[in-house]
Amino acid sequence: MSMTFTVQVDWDADGSFATAGDDISAYVQGVSANLGIFDARLDHVAYVGRCTITLDNTDRRFSPKYTAGPYYGKLLPNRAVRVQGTDGEDTWTLWRGVIRRIVPEAARGGTRETVLECEDAMGVLQAHLLSLPIQENKRG
């Protein structure tokens, strides 16, 4: 059986990957992911998982400043990203997170590409500063 992969971005931030245009698999040139799971035996917490998605941007659809593009106004950080694999019978979510940076690259004499730099939920949590005042004489 052959494995096929699907890359989806929730461009409308509606909690669904079913909107037309959310499936960007046709434009994906490469995906590199790190799950952030323990790298060494003595580590006690997971690291931030990261995913880099390289997209074909020949028609400039993934350029945030291109006003005629179909994703204009939607190419923003914190959009949900999902990478799935399927063997025809079962589907697995291989990576899930949010976009941190969108980096369009116009290579002179080469292909136009855009790189989506993404982080998982651990990265989202680490980005928020949390503080809790000391609780004294309180019961749990």
Side-chain angles (χ1 to χ4, degrees), residues 19-137:
T19 308
D22 284 356
D23 186 350
I24 59 170
S25 303
Y27 301 98
V28 174
Q29 294 179 333
V31 176
S32 172
N34 175 343
L35 299 179
I37 298 177
F38 309 120
D39 288 338
R41 286 184 171 185
L42 300 177
D43 292 340
H44 297 289
V45 295
Y47 294 102
V48 174
R50 301 186 193 287
C51 182
T52 303
I53 303 168
T54 305
L55 302 169
D56 176 19
N57 196 25
T58 305
D59 59 1
R60 298 172 50 191
R61 73 177 49 232
F62 298 109
S63 296
K65 294 182 180 179
Y66 184 56
T67 58
Y71 299 115
Y72 180 73
K74 298 179 181 183
L75 293 162
L76 300 169
N78 294 320
R79 298 292 191 202
V81 177
R82 180 171 68 182
V83 179
Q84 292 184 314
T86 184
D87 63 0
E89 294 180 18
D90 297 315
T91 301
W92 302 274
T93 298
L94 304 171
W95 196 91
R96 189 173 180 129
V98 296
I99 296 173
R100 282 294 177 218
R101 289 183 59 210
I102 300 171
V103 185
E105 299 175 3
R108 288 189 176 160
T111 60
R112 292 180 187 227
E113 298 175 343
T114 293
V115 177
L116 303 180
E117 297 175 1
C118 310
E119 290 181 346
D120 65 4
M122 182 71 80
V124 174
L125 288 172
Q126 285 185 0
H128 295 294
L129 298 176
L130 301 175
S131 65
L132 182 65
I134 295 176
Q135 301 291 312
E136 296 182 272
N137 301 320

